[in-house]
Amino acid sequence: MNCFNEIPTREWFLAASTANVRLVRLAYGKWDGERRDFLLGSADDYSALVDEDLRKLRQYLDLAESLGISVVLAPLSLPGARFRQFNDGQRDSRLWTDPQYLSQAAQFWKDLANAMKDHAAVAGYDLLNEPHPEWFHGKREFWDRGFGQWYEQVKGTAGDLNRFNRVVTASIRAVDPDTPIIVESGLYATPWAFEYLESVADPNVLYSFHMYEPYKYTTRRINQGRYSYPGIIPIDSLGVDLRFDFASLDAFFDPVREWARRNGIPASRIFVGEFGCERMASGAARYLADLIRVFNREGWHWAFYAYREDSWPHMDYELGTDRPGETYWAAVEEGDLPQRYSEIYDPRQANPLWTLLKGELARRRQPSSSR
């Protein structure tokens, strides 16, 4: 599962352990730090890890280890690429347009890997959550494909995601030869950007994509109760209406399968880093079940979005298909949601969303003596 919480707590990890979680993809970037950007200090000019932030991260990694939970570290920000929510809502283009930031990003990861390489809880390094150099170089749509042709225009420049992957991976490997590294596809980790993704000459690199399509269905503020799954959903950029069901979802991942075959990458090195659906959308449980069916059949790793997120309830599947009650929002407002989980998440009130995910977690949970 994914953890994108603003406030890390012992209660969250204890609940995750009780839910039979084996792996957490941890986006620590929302945590309060000693300076503007957690761990980085400043995404404007990185120089060294912030010691107090590093101690805080280790504290929760220690807790995860004690509970048998492995952690993938997934930064939301890198030098020159500050997370949009902490950048006045603006996408930060600098990493993908100014060459100086690649060396800073590589140094950050070298420092972090050197600090984390011996921690038993660390299962992987996810280089950057949802990279999107395409956005700053003229390509903002995936339905029209054409990624290969687009890539030729940026190859060798600051906008070259493959170059970023190679440089940062080499920087990590200078201090940590073993910990798995996860590289994500471009344009917010769409499966279709695998068209131009290059494999890295390292057997411990995994390749990742995210899945929230069709976005008009999975996103509450756009859906507004208009679309169901399975069903017909308009694709505005193509000017057509498409039917989405198991077969069409399955076909959506053809670019990943074709890329893996072409590059000789086994299923064990494909990671669905995020997938999810607005929990009140009609057919959400079936949508999630169909995705998991595909992922399990392919033998891909996966982590759903999200578990008990402390400021955004729309993909908090334990809440079921109803709106959060007053107790939930009071706990959020007072900043003590984690401490009041028992008031909000009533295990006696089963719902199809959480029943599905809980069953998958229980089935997969197996004792292991190694990461």
Side-chain angles (χ1 to χ4, degrees):
M1 58 179 52
N2 277 269
C3 179
F4 272 57
N5 285 16
E6 295 181 1
I7 303 172
T9 65
R10 178 179 180 83
E11 289 80 5
W12 189 96
F13 281 91
L14 289 171
S17 177
T18 301
N20 289 311
V21 171
R22 291 171 54 187
L23 178 75
V24 169
R25 182 171 175 268
L26 182 64
Y28 55 79
K30 295 182 181 180
W31 298 1
D32 283 339
E34 290 295 297
R35 296 171 59 192
R36 177 172 180 178
D37 300 299
F38 189 84
L39 270 186
L40 286 169
S42 174
D44 301 325
D45 186 17
Y46 173 75
S47 57
L49 299 176
V50 179
D51 288 341
E52 186 58 35
D53 293 351
L54 192 60
R55 281 192 288 272
K56 185 174 183 178
L57 178 59
R58 279 206 184 99
Q59 172 189 347
Y60 288 98
L61 291 176
D62 291 346
L63 175 58
E65 179 188 357
S66 73
L67 296 170
I69 296 174
S70 297
V71 174
V72 169
L73 298 175
L76 299 175
S77 298
L78 284 181
R82 180 174 284 118
F83 185 44
R84 187 178 179 183
Q85 290 184 20
F86 300 127
N87 197 47
D88 298 325
Q90 301 299 309
R91 295 176 177 86
D92 190 350
S93 67
R94 294 172 297 172
L95 177 60
W96 309 114
T97 57
D98 187 339
Q100 70 170 308
Y101 285 102
L102 176 57
S103 60
Q104 289 190 31
Q107 185 61 52
F108 165 78
W109 263 117
K110 184 176 183 180
D111 294 344
L112 184 58
N114 193 46
M116 295 286 106
K117 62 184 178 181
D118 296 321
H119 201 294
V122 176
Y125 306 134
D126 192 328
L127 298 186
L128 177 61
N129 182 66
E130 297 188 345
H132 47 282
E134 296 87 349
W135 189 270
F136 309 109
H137 295 277
K139 182 167 180 57
R140 300 184 177 184
E141 175 60 56
F142 75 86
W143 286 103
D144 61 2
R145 296 184 180 263
F147 280 96
Q149 182 178 1
W150 170 85
Y151 177 63
E152 291 302 316
Q153 303 173 31
V154 299
K155 191 172 184 178
T157 72
D160 187 339
L161 181 60
N162 291 318
R163 180 168 175 253
F164 167 85
N165 292 334
R166 289 193 303 270
V167 170
V168 178
T169 296
S171 186
I172 291 172
R173 289 295 181 238
V175 295
D176 181 348
D178 300 318
T179 302
I181 293 170
I182 298 161
V183 303
E184 299 187 19
S185 55
L187 200 59
Y188 296 97
T190 176
W192 292 23
F194 269 71
E195 181 182 341
Y196 79 88
L197 185 65
E198 295 176 359
S199 60
V200 180
D202 186 313
N204 284 339
V205 169
L206 285 77
Y207 302 89
S208 183
F209 64 88
H210 296 177
M211 179 58 177
Y212 298 103
E213 298 297 338
Y215 203 61
K216 271 196 167 184
Y217 166 70
T218 63
T219 308
R220 179 175 180 269
R221 62 180 171 79
I222 300 176
N223 190 329
Q224 295 293 321
R226 293 178 295 171
Y227 309 115
S228 301
Y229 177 86
I232 304 297
I233 299 169
I235 306 301
D236 294 342
S237 61
L238 296 180
V240 299
D241 294 343
L242 297 180
R243 177 170 176 79
F244 285 87
D245 51 22
F246 177 80
S248 56
L249 286 186
D250 192 12
F252 193 87
F253 306 114
D254 283 346
V256 178
R257 298 186 187 97
E258 294 166 4
W259 178 89
R261 284 195 295 268
R262 188 169 67 249
N263 288 277
I265 302 297
S268 59
R269 291 172 61 190
I270 301 295
F271 178 34
V272 188
E274 293 181 26
F275 69 98
C277 179
E278 171 8 72
R279 58 187 178 76
M280 291 184 280
S282 176
R286 183 169 175 181
Y287 173 85
L288 294 175
D290 282 355
L291 287 179
I292 291 172
R293 178 182 166 192
V294 173
F295 304 156
N296 287 348
R297 186 198 66 206
E298 296 292 334
W300 296 336
H301 307 283
W302 54 259
F304 70 84
Y305 191 97
Y307 183 66
R308 295 190 178 184
E309 187 163 352
D310 55 10
S311 60
W312 194 70
H314 298 303
M315 292 185 184
D316 188 345
Y317 304 110
E318 283 181 291
L319 297 176
T321 57
D322 298 326
R323 296 181 182 276
E326 292 182 6
T327 302
Y328 177 92
W329 289 116
V332 171
E333 183 70 24
E334 295 162 16
D336 61 358
L337 174 60
Q339 290 74 25
R340 295 170 64 180
Y341 278 152
S342 60
E343 300 177 47
I344 297 162
Y345 299 98
D346 186 346
R348 295 168 298 179
Q349 297 185 12
N351 71 79
L353 294 164
W354 185 240
T355 296
L356 166 71
L357 294 169
K358 184 172 65 173
E360 284 289 329
L361 294 171
R363 184 175 68 82
R364 291 168 172 269
R365 178 75 177 188
Q366 296 177 359
S368 176
S369 60
S370 61
R371 68 185 182 184

